[in-house]
Amino acid sequence: MSTPTAQALGRPGGIIRLDPVSLRAKRFAMLTTTTLPLLGTTATAYLLATGNYTRADLGLFAGMYVVHGIGITVGYHRYASHKAFKSGPAFEAFIMIAGSMGAQGPLVWWVATHRRHHRYSDREGDPHSPNLHGRSLTQRLRGLWYAHMPWMLSDQESRWSVFAPDLLSNRRLMYYHRTYAQWVCIGLALPALIGFAAGGTLKAALTGVLFGGLTRIFVANHATWLVASLSHAVGSRPFRNGDRSANNWPVALLTFGEGLQNNHHAFPGSYRHGVTWLEPDLSGWLLAVLGKLGIVTDLREPTKEEIEKKRRQTLEAPPIPPTAGKG
Ligand SMILES: [Zn+2]
Ligand SMILES: [Zn+2]
């Protein structure tokens, strides 16, 4: 995707409107990376229903889902977007490549979009809030759907120089940004190769790419989009963040901790999304272990006092209205 160009929209800041050529390119990329996995998953459903799959296929789905999940949550989100820890070039390469294989967009676009979400969370300017479409049931459902997928087709974009200047000047991270499409393709070729090595037939390679490639992308990315939609609508809210972010455990289980949005919006710089160790935060647990092993360093997390202070502010704050006005 090219750098967004066009006139600034005014307020809220840092948002531009794409010119028609850039908008077409963006929509083509978005529709391709969402439709092909859907078609692949339809084929996988048929194979599952007819018993036409092997244990290697299921293993490829599970293994690639974990790599994909770590790439997006640990790499794109906690490392690149929030700088929640530091990493040397080898582990950084793993999480950046794994994140790119997730087919959720090139790194700088993803980070700029995500940081805009934090800046304008559930207010005008939030790229994917489910809470700006009105208060009736239909409007709320429409908001949930918009925050899940159609927001990706918007003609508005985050200005990279405003939301991700640190990435633009980081040569190593820009390499992964520029080579994004190549890693998406490798993320499809890899399960095909492993499938072929395990089964020795072209059919095994094909089912490998269906299970470990397209279906993995479909399931893992819909799980991620539930973070934007459901985890800003349904769940518990131990902290008042001035938005509708919620801790949704089923989404957190599917997304390695990202569904704990209320905790995350309370402490966005923390490498952990679980405030307690019992909350489902696989990526936080993994990073804690990697920190002990010295693979990652400078893990940031709030102190007990900061958590307590936030809890006290929550008790004193007025309740958040259920949804904002029509947007
Ligand atoms: Zn959020
Ligand atoms: Zn975040």
Side-chain angles (χ1 to χ4, degrees), residues 14 103 180 184 215 275 277:
Y180 161 72
V184 173
T215 305
V275 168
W277 289 108

Side-chain angles (χ1 to χ4, degrees), residues 21 29 69-70 77 108 128 187 198 204 251-252 254 257 261 317 321:
V21 176
I70 290 173
H77 189 207
V108 181
H128 46 61
V251 178
L254 286 171
Q261 279 290 287

